[in-house]
């Protein structure tokens, strides 16, 4: 997998050497070299023990149709033993598929694969005047791994603007993830809480909001919103001009609502 991935241009999973993620990899090759697409589902190693062979075989059939249609030569190169042509009927077949290049060949940087965010600090003391301080956001721009956090959220790390802080720290010192609520340049500096550490006060707020049919939205003055936009600079602030097109910039974070 590392040999193939090293020859592939445009990989967004970080730099190699990679770890092989069981994510439903389907490697193809054209005149420009190797590239990756993914099957309908990936099977984690531990998930094979609850996997129905008949359902796993549907993944095999899907992959087989793709290779027969697009890349018969690549099929032979990657599958000299004929795994793609062998129906999956039992646990042994599921095991072979699970660890094959057609499932376990998604190349992830180790941090993106199994990284864990720092967290679990004590409750932050109140600031003078009663306002809670804003804890620092996690230092690493991409420390959250797909094995520990919801994939739709960790995937945001791969395509977000560099100056938006996806992972923030709640008032108890726990990791949380937020996203803008409006397009870049709208001037709206509120954030939508996508992830809160289970058992935290923020998680309770999120659950209460969502049980009522609404997302948990935090206003621009909230410490999590301030963290999220802290790298965005308003026009004339001496920062990067890219930040001026940001999602509004939060007060106290160098941004100006309404930009």
């Amino acid at each position: 997998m590392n040999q193939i991935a090293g020859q592939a241009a445009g990989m967004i999973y970080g730099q190699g050497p990679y770890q092989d993620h069981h994510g439903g990899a389907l490697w193809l090759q054209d005149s420009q070299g190797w590239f990756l697409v993914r099957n309908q589902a990936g099977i984690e190693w531990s998930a094979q023990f609850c996997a129905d062979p008949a359902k796993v075989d549907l993944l095999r059939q899907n992959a087989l149709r793709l290779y027969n249609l697009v890349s018969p030569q690549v099929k032979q190169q990657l599958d000299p033993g004929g795994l793609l042509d062998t129906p999956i009927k039992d646990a042994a077949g599921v095991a072979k598929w699970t660890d094959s290049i057609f499932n376990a060949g998604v190349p992830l940087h180790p941090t993106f694969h199994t990284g864990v965010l720092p967290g679990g600090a004590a409750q932050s003391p109140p600031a003078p005047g009663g306002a809670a301080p804003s804890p620092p956001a996690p230092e690493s721009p991409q420390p959250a791994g797909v094995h520990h956090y919801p994939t739709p959220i960790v995937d945001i790390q791969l395509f977000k603007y560099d100056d938006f802080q996806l992972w923030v720290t709640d008032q108890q010192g726990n990791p949380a993830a937020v996203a803008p609520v409006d397009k870049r340049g709208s001037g709206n500096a509120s954030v939508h809480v996508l992830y809160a550490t289970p058992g935290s006060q923020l998680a309770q707020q999120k659950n209460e909001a969502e049980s009522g049919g609404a997302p948990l939205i935090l206003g621009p003055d909230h410490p999590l919103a301030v963290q999220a936009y802290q790298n965005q600079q308003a026009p004339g602030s001496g920062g990067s001009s890219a930040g001026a097109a940001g999602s509004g910039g939060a007060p106290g974070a160098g941004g100006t609502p309404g930009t």
Side-chain angles (χ1 to χ4, degrees):
M1 182 205 66
N2 271 283
Q3 182 179 5
I4 292 174
Q7 303 174 49
M11 298 297 297
I12 65 172
Y13 295 136
Q15 299 296 316
Y18 300 103
Q19 293 180 350
D20 55 341
H21 173 55
H22 294 64
L26 297 176
W27 284 99
L28 298 171
Q29 191 176 44
D30 62 10
S31 61
Q32 300 179 56
W34 289 99
F35 64 100
L36 177 68
V37 297
R38 295 176 69 169
N39 209 334
Q40 296 179 69
I43 303 173
E44 273 302 332
W45 190 88
S46 59
Q48 67 179 290
F49 304 114
C50 68
D52 182 338
K55 295 178 180 179
V56 176
D57 195 61
L58 295 177
L59 299 176
R60 178 197 65 84
Q61 293 176 37
N62 197 57
L64 176 63
R65 290 174 63 183
L66 176 68
Y67 282 103
N68 283 343
L69 176 67
V70 178
S71 300
Q73 293 180 339
V74 171
K75 172 190 172 187
Q76 179 60 32
Q77 180 179 347
L78 295 179
D79 188 30
L83 180 65
L84 284 171
D85 293 301
T86 304
I88 298 171
K89 299 179 178 180
D90 52 26
V94 170
K96 289 180 180 179
W97 181 262
T98 299
D99 279 332
S100 74
I101 188 67
F102 305 113
N103 183 66
V106 178
L108 300 187
H109 184 276
T111 301
F112 185 63
H113 192 202
T114 57
V116 180
L117 290 163
Q123 175 76 41
S124 302
S134 177
E139 293 182 2
S140 173
Q142 187 174 293
V146 298
H147 278 255
H148 301 287
Y149 304 94
T151 294
I153 296 171
V154 298
D155 281 357
I156 298 172
Q157 298 171 137
L158 302 174
F159 56 79
K160 73 178 183 65
Y161 282 107
D162 290 340
D163 62 2
F164 181 77
Q165 186 72 35
L166 170 69
W167 294 104
V168 294
T169 305
D170 70 18
Q171 298 303 295
Q172 294 178 289
N174 300 308
V178 297
V181 298
D182 206 342
K183 64 183 180 182
R184 194 169 177 87
S186 67
N188 187 344
S190 296
V191 293
H192 173 195
V193 178
L194 303 178
Y195 172 84
T197 298
S200 66
Q201 294 175 8
L202 184 66
Q204 183 177 352
Q205 288 181 264
K206 183 175 183 292
N207 291 337
E208 289 174 355
E210 292 176 350
S211 64
L216 178 57
I217 305 297
L218 305 177
D221 293 323
H222 193 281
L224 297 193
V226 173
Q227 290 179 54
Y229 297 111
Q230 65 187 355
N231 297 323
Q232 296 187 11
Q233 300 297 316
S237 66
S240 168
S241 60
S247 302
T256 302
T259 57

